[in-house]
């Protein structure tokens, strides 16, 4: 039997075993499949710092792909994979020192080089961090069939801090988590260590994420007790080799609750001292601890305003405690009080006057939109406007308002729309990305956060396609100029298959999925028409006596016989004025306001003419219906993919799409039937008839009858 035949038989055996073992999604996009040598680079050996994590990770993946590890050599033979920093003699010879230095500690060069008869593929960086990211880049090229012998790649990240925020509670539950319990098993730590911690580190490193906040922003003070800090230390030790720093969310009342001090006033010297000592204690355990994330004076959380102080007073006190150790404070701007002021205006009203008052190691963390992670929002007007303070975008990877882990919604398109929005605050092309990544406004650090969608589910994220959002978040934090399409392409190839007849339709599906969800949930700028507590299904009628108005849908949609939408123009709440010129004028005018945001900024009559000639009411009907039809198309596309897929994942996604399809109809019926009670116009004949009259609606119609 020839060598070739043996390896083919081996390959077939492995493939068969691979197919027998469950495809539960647990390997994420790091599925290094055993494959024919011809599909792989012809490396004859590997050279470099053998102890480096980059080299180890590469070897691990190579073994999975070939069944063997790559020969470690110190002499070039044939085609050598060379991984190293400037400490390596060969690297010093083959790579320009200056060029490497310019890329910083996380940047790298990935390059094909000929040296006499010797061939090299080089991964070079000034630090281990860059080597690790470079190794994953090379693996990604191999996994997606894009490796070639003429590589000339230089990379450096756009943001310094690329961080996940876990809203994980210490009791194991996850706020707005839809993938099971928290991966952090606090009750078992520090003694017992879940293998998932390391897998988590690898997955994050592979997409460039370099920080994680372990616990919920609604923070239990317990996280700062000795016991929990020791547990956090164990996690930090596991993540460290993968260049991921640990951060913690802290409760502003900790000095009072844990330290027995009568208050937590940021100007009280005893309180300040308590935080300084706490910081020292943390850094003794975790020398590279990243810092604190704080939700203060928001949704009932304690904060400096409890003592008549400002957000700046609070943030600066913590910043002073962390500063000697190199830590930062990420202070959230997600604030709104039960006042008459439009909720969309409140964060700006509170934070703009504080611009310039924060310490250098404070970053203000601002949600992408001014309200709360709605299916579509305009960007928060703080971006671009707050120039003297570092601002970091907060995106939501977990689908709190986008169908939980039941709906397939690829979010890179949403995030791109946000990051590329032009704030105009520093001239044209001052996009959100450029105002936060250090391009236009320079601050000591730049950062971006995403609320994680990770849990203990075998597939980590609940829905197999929700993994794509974790992946895309990482890729965009590294390089926000990457097209959503390219990221989807990579992810599909790595996670499922390189077959073009699979990749093309699935990519199309993913790219249209966010817009489809906006259509069947909240088209044309509608927002927050969920039940106030669960945030899943439609409840535009939801009205709870005694509840805060700004938690309830009617506050946002304002549907009446006259029309629908929130008037945020100069004659309404005037939220438009928080945007820089010319956007403020554009949003203010019903004819120039982008139609996607029409009902965000305007209360428009049902008969308002849309650009396509339809009335607003008709357009609303068509949008809802489009959303439903789009999801049905997704189902058909997916069903056609059966031959290319393992049974488990095929079935799993198929059943989730069924739920999504059912929910889309539910949204359409509920919203159209409810809004029709106000518009009094008929639903266009070519729109699918609503299936059922919802019980709630019958009651509402009855009430309206009595009312009239
Ligand atoms: O979106 C809302 C969520 C809360 C969350 C809050 C916040 C962690 O419904 O669950 O609390 O925002 O971002 O602080």
């Amino acid at each position: 039997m020839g060598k070739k035949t043996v390896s083919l038989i081996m390959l077939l055996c492995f493939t068969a075993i691979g197919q027998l073992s469950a495809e539960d999604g647990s390997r994420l996009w790091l599925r290094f499949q055993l494959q024919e040598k011809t599909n792989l680079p012809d490396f004859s050996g590997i050279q470099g710092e053998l102890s480096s994590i980059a080299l180890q990770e590469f070897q691990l993946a190579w073994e999975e792909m070939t069944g063997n590890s790559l020969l470690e050599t110190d002499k070039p033979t044939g085609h050598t994979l060379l991984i190293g920093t400037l400490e390596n003699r060969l690297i010093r010879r083959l790579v320009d020192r200056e060029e490497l230095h310019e890329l910083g500690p996380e940047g790298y060069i990935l390059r094909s080089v000929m040296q006499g008869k010797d061939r090299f593929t080089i991964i070079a960086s000034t630090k281990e961090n860059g080597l690790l990211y470079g190794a994953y880049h090379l693996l990604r090229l191999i996994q997606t069939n894009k490796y070639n012998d003429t590589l000339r790649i230089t990379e450096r990240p756009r943001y310094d801090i690329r961080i996940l925020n876990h809203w994980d509670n210490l009791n194991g539950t996850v706020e707005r988590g839809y993938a099971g319990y928290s991966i952090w098993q606090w009750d078992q730590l520090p003694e017992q260590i879940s293998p998932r911690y390391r897998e988590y580190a690898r997955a994050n490193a592979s997409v460039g994420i370099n920080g994680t906040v372990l616990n919920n922003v609604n923070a239990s003070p317990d996280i700062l007790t000795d016991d929990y800090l020791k547990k956090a230390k164990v996690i930090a030790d596991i993540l460290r080799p993968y260049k991921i720093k640990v951060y913690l969310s802290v409760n502003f009342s900790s000095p009072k609750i844990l330290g027995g001090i009568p208050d937590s006033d940021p100007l009280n010297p005893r309180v300040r001292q308590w935080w300084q000592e706490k910081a020292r204690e943390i850094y003794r355990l975790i020398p590279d601890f990243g810092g604190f994330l704080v939700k203060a004076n928001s949704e009932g959380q304690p904060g400096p305003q409890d003592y008549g102080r400002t957000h700046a007073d609070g943030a600066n006190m913590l910043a002073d405690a962390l500063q000697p150790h190199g830590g930062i404070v990420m202070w959230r701007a997600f604030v709104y009080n039960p006042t008459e002021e439009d909720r969309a205006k409140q964060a700006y009203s509170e934070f703009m006057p504080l611009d310039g008052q924060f310490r250098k190691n404070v970053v203000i963390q601002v949600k992408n939109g001014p309200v709360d992670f709605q299916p579509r929002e305009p960007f928060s007007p703080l971006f671009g406007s707050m120039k003297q303070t570092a601002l970091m975008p907060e995106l939501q990877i977990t689908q709190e308002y986008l169908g939980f882990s039941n709906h397939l919604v690829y979010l890179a398109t949403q995030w791109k729309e946000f990051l590329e929005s032009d704030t105009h605050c520093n001239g044209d092309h001052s996009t959100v990305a450029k105002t936060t990544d250090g391009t236009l406004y320079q601050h000591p650090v730049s950062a971006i956060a995403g609320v994680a969608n990770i849990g203990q589910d075998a597939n980590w994220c609940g829905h197999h396609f929700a993994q794509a959002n974790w992946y895309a978040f990482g890729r965009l934090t590294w390089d926000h100029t990457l097209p959503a399409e390219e990221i989807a392409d990579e992810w599909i190839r790595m996670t499922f298959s390189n077959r073009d007849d699979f990749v093309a339709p699935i990519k199309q599906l993913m790219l249209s999925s966010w817009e489809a969800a906006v259509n069947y949930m909240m088209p044309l700028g509608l927002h927050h028409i969920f039940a106030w507590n669960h945030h899943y299904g439609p409840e535009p009628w939801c009205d709870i006596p005694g509840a805060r108005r700004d938690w309830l849908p009617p506050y946002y949609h304002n549907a009446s016989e006259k029309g629908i939408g929130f008037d945020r123009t100069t004659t309404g709440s005037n939220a438009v004025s928080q945007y820089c010129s010319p956007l403020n004028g554009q949003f203010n005018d019903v004819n120039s306001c982008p139609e996607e945001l029409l009902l965000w900024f305007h209360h428009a009559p049902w008969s308002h003419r849309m650009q396509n000639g339809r009335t607003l009411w008709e357009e609303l009907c068509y949008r809802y219906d489009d959303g439903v039809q789009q999801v049905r198309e997704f189902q058909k596309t997916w069903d056609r993919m059966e031959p290319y897929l393992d049974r488990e994942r095929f079935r799993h996604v198929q059943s989730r799409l069924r739920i999504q399809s059912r929910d889309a109809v539910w949204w359409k019926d509920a919203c159209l039937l409810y809004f029709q009670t106000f518009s009094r116009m008929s639903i266009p004949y070519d729109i699918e008839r609503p299936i059922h009259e919802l019980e709630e609606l019958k009651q509402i119609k009855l009430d309206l009858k009595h009312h009239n």
Side-chain angles (χ1 to χ4, degrees), residues 334 343-344 367-381 401 414 417-418 421 514 518 522 525-528 568 579 596-597 600-601:
F334 176 67
R343 176 169 162 189
K367 288 188 181 181
N368 59 297
V371 171
D372 188 10
F373 297 139
Q374 294 304 290
R376 177 181 252 127
E377 295 193 33
F379 66 88
S380 158
Y401 294 101
Q414 184 200 46
E417 176 175 295
F418 159 68
S421 295
W514 169 53
V518 171
M522 284 171 252
L526 283 175
H527 50 292
H528 229 305
R568 296 196 164 107
Y579 289 90
E596 304 311 328
L597 295 173
W600 184 281
F601 288 113

Side-chain angles (χ1 to χ4, degrees), residues 167 175-176 216-218 295 298-299 332 334 336 343 367 372-373 394 396 400-401 451 532-533 535:
W167 284 357
E175 182 156 347
R176 313 302 177 187
N216 192 353
V217 287
N218 291 326
K295 171 174 177 177
S298 161
E299 299 187 328
R332 296 177 90 227
F334 176 67
Y336 61 102
R343 176 169 162 189
K367 288 188 181 181
D372 188 10
F373 297 139
E394 176 178 342
Q396 196 178 43
E400 173 180 359
Y401 294 101
V451 181
W532 71 279
N533 53 354
H535 298 173

